[in-house]
Amino acid sequence: MIVGDLLGLDGLHIGLAWGTSDLLGRQVTGVTSTDLQDPARYLQPGELVLSGLVWWQPDENSAALRFATSLRSAGVAALLAGEGTHGTVPESLVDACRTHGIPLLSVPPGTSFRAVTDRVYLRLWGGLQSSSEGVAALPEAARRELLALLHAETPLDQVLAHAVARLGVPDCSVVTVSGRVLGCSTGAEAGTGGRAPRGAVPVGPQGDTPFDGWLLQPHTEPGPAASAVLHGLAELLGPLATRIRAGAAAQRQSTARLVELLAQDGPGLADALTACGLPSDQPLVPVTARIDGAGGLDGSGGSGWAAAALAEALHRVGAPFAAGPDGTGGATALVAAPAAAVTAALRPAWPGLQRKLTGRRRLRAGVGPAVAPVAEALRGALVQASYALEAGSGVGTGAGSGSGSGSGTGAREGDGAVGSSGELSSLAALLRGLPAEVTGAFHTRLLAPLADHDRENAVSLLGTLGAFLDHDGSWARTAEALHIHVNTVHYRIRRIEELTGRSLAHLEHRVDLRAALLCSPGAHPVRA
């Protein structure tokens, strides 16, 4: 395939912004989507570069030249510039590409980067057979049959079943490195649980994050001959893996532009949703994700890793979604499914994704409510998703998990990993989403006199307060729980009211003190 072939791809409406006939004859080796201003280290010679031009600013004349310089140093075949962000291809970029001899093509707003990527890789597949003659022990007739199935976009289950029957290899599955089954020769799911099985063969290039990449997994350990054939099958499937990976990267870029559009309250939301493959007439659920301790992972605070992990988990929902970096070190996704279904799909996937991270890095997510696909509603739902991410972390974000008496609010599956705005139904859950600096200051402001008292006395007023509130202000039940006389409870409560300036006879004051206890960084021991 050459660069000029892009101009004739039906339905994509790709135009020529600048390029000479000899430059349009350059051979194409692949596609990469990026909105980095200096992406040279991520590019390969001969690749097409798709960019939404998010990095370009009208008042920065040198930006286009720096970008073109980076592309020239990487030896790319051409640049495809999306017109969705700025409405047209900037003249400064045309001049920069002319200076460096880089063919520049335009992609209209109605054409998604994923569609471009898919069509390019389908064309590149045409040269696969001639370039792979005689490698990896695949009989030529079987290779032709499998290539025909792949060209026809036959479901992967059927391709693998045909390969098993035709090549005599063990039943096998194609799975992601996180264990999600993409296809199985038996039609049944035989995942890896996120761990590479014995005999698994990499399919295509593995990704830049620990959440990207495919494996061809035999269900039984193959012998030497079958192992060689499986390597050949994995090589044959490599372009499919590369095409899907490139399409996912293009969608992440489209999602990043969508998130930026929401933040800026710009026009064209319906077109941006369509470009991401999302419906513009169905409720959408926002999801946010973040990797704590991810500084320096990918040059963007871990947002690329977070987006890849979130996308891998959301495939399990079985509904249209788009996930991408949010520009603040995290990731954002929109899903066309009920919020409860999204939460239910994320939680079982999260432990396997977390195991892919090393050190003290921690992967977290928050699920917002389903809202209409309009900018104002989506922005509000995104705020709720971000709050749910913090609240779902439980102890460690500043809010304690129980009252001062040491009784917790009850753990749930997924605590500390995936939070849901639909579960913010208690004061404790609400407080968990506040920054530690806020909750710590509130706790100190209200309860410092009691903490000072407890440091100098054997009697814990904080423990008494927690027990009294836990037992709904019942003098008798508090006395029984603390194994003291009821008159002692009356004395301690009066002392608490004197030190805090709050009356436990008033509901508002009780709520204030309960909230302050919940904001404790840890539970307070009970001393009689």
Side-chain angles (χ1 to χ4, degrees):
M1 180 180 185
I2 61 174
V3 173
D5 292 339
L6 294 165
L7 300 174
L9 294 178
D10 293 339
L12 297 185
H13 309 293
I14 294 174
L16 178 63
W18 181 83
T20 61
S21 58
D22 58 327
L23 293 178
L24 293 178
R26 287 179 173 178
Q27 291 292 325
V28 174
T29 62
V31 187
T32 292
S33 179
T34 182
D35 266 314
L36 297 174
Q37 190 166 24
D38 184 9
R41 63 186 181 276
Y42 301 113
L43 304 176
Q44 299 295 325
E47 284 187 321
L48 299 171
V49 175
L50 281 163
S51 178
L53 310 183
V54 173
W55 49 266
W56 185 79
Q57 298 296 330
D59 55 351
E60 191 176 347
N61 295 327
S62 61
L65 189 59
R66 289 199 302 271
F67 184 72
T69 301
S70 179
L71 300 188
R72 185 190 63 177
S73 68
V76 304
L79 169 62
L80 281 76
E83 297 178 323
T85 302
H86 303 290
T88 186
V89 177
E91 284 298 325
S92 60
L93 183 60
V94 175
D95 293 339
C97 288
R98 183 183 294 111
T99 298
H100 287 301
I102 299 171
L104 176 59
L105 284 69
S106 60
V107 181
T111 299
S112 73
F113 281 7
R114 183 170 185 174
V116 175
T117 300
D118 285 352
R119 294 287 294 278
V120 168
Y121 276 108
L122 284 173
R123 289 292 298 269
L124 289 176
W125 246 336
L128 175 64
Q129 180 177 339
S130 60
S131 65
S132 58
E133 288 289 338
V135 299
L138 279 191
E140 181 58 31
R143 182 191 305 279
R144 290 179 180 275
E145 294 169 8
L146 292 171
L147 278 173
L149 292 175
L150 292 171
H151 274 294
E153 300 190 43
T154 304
L156 192 53
D157 285 350
Q158 297 178 29
V159 174
L160 294 176
H162 186 85
V164 168
R166 191 73 170 79
L167 301 172
V169 294
D171 278 311
C172 53
S173 301
V174 173
V175 300
T176 68
V177 292
S178 298
R180 179 170 55 90
V181 177
L182 302 171
C184 179
S185 62
T186 64
E189 294 199 354
T192 69
R195 300 178 178 87
R198 293 185 64 182
V201 182
V203 178
Q206 301 304 287
D208 298 325
T209 83
F211 312 106
D212 294 311
W214 288 12
L215 299 171
L216 178 62
Q217 174 197 350
H219 296 179
T220 57
E221 188 168 356
S227 180
V229 174
L230 286 172
H231 276 79
L233 178 59
E235 185 174 348
L236 197 70
L237 295 172
L240 174 63
T242 301
R243 178 170 69 90
I244 298 299
R245 178 184 168 196
Q251 188 192 54
R252 289 175 200 170
Q253 294 291 340
S254 297
T255 306
R257 291 192 289 275
L258 172 60
V259 173
E260 183 180 25
L261 180 66
L262 288 173
Q264 297 176 350
D265 195 20
L269 178 62
D271 288 340
L273 290 172
T274 301
C276 292
L278 291 170
S280 58
D281 57 352
Q282 297 179 27
L284 300 175
V285 171
V287 186
T288 59
R290 186 171 296 274
I291 299 177
D292 297 333
L297 281 183
D298 54 13
S300 60
S303 61
W305 283 37
L310 186 54
E312 174 64 21
L314 287 173
H315 277 291
R316 293 164 168 83
V317 179
F321 75 88
D326 63 7
T328 64
T332 294
L334 295 174
V335 192
V342 174
T343 305
L346 291 184
R347 284 185 175 153
W350 226 245
L353 296 172
Q354 178 61 49
R355 285 195 293 270
K356 294 292 181 181
L357 297 174
T358 58
R360 299 176 64 85
R361 294 170 181 142
R362 184 178 178 217
L363 179 64
R364 297 185 289 134
V367 181
V371 296
V374 295
E376 184 177 354
L378 285 173
R379 281 196 297 271
L382 275 170
V383 172
Q384 294 188 55
S386 298
Y387 196 88
L389 181 148
E390 301 297 340
S393 301
V395 179
T397 60
S401 60
S403 71
S405 65
S407 63
T409 58
R412 54 171 169 75
E413 184 184 357
D415 232 357
V418 179
S420 170
S421 63
E423 294 168 351
L424 296 179
S425 56
S426 69
L427 179 61
L430 186 66
L431 292 172
R432 282 201 298 267
L434 294 176
E437 294 81 2
V438 174
T439 55
F442 184 75
H443 172 81
T444 300
R445 191 175 300 118
L446 270 67
L447 300 181
L450 303 186
D452 293 341
H453 170 277
D454 288 1
R455 280 192 291 269
E456 299 175 1
N457 295 272
V459 172
S460 172
L461 293 183
L462 283 171
T464 302
L465 174 61
F468 185 73
L469 294 175
D470 281 347
H471 293 90
D472 303 318
S474 169
W475 307 95
R477 287 192 289 135
T478 301
E480 182 180 358
L482 296 178
H483 307 291
I484 58 177
H485 195 276
V486 69
N487 289 342
T488 305
V489 176
H490 279 276
Y491 167 77
R492 292 187 185 180
I493 295 301
R494 284 198 302 272
R495 186 64 178 141
I496 289 170
E497 292 176 332
E498 291 172 359
L499 291 174
T500 62
R502 308 289 175 121
S503 171
L504 287 166
H506 296 157
L507 177 60
E508 182 180 355
H509 290 181
R510 285 192 187 187
V511 173
D512 289 344
L513 293 174
R514 165 65 81 184
L517 286 171
L518 290 171
C519 287
S520 169
H524 299 285
V526 178
R527 297 196 298 269

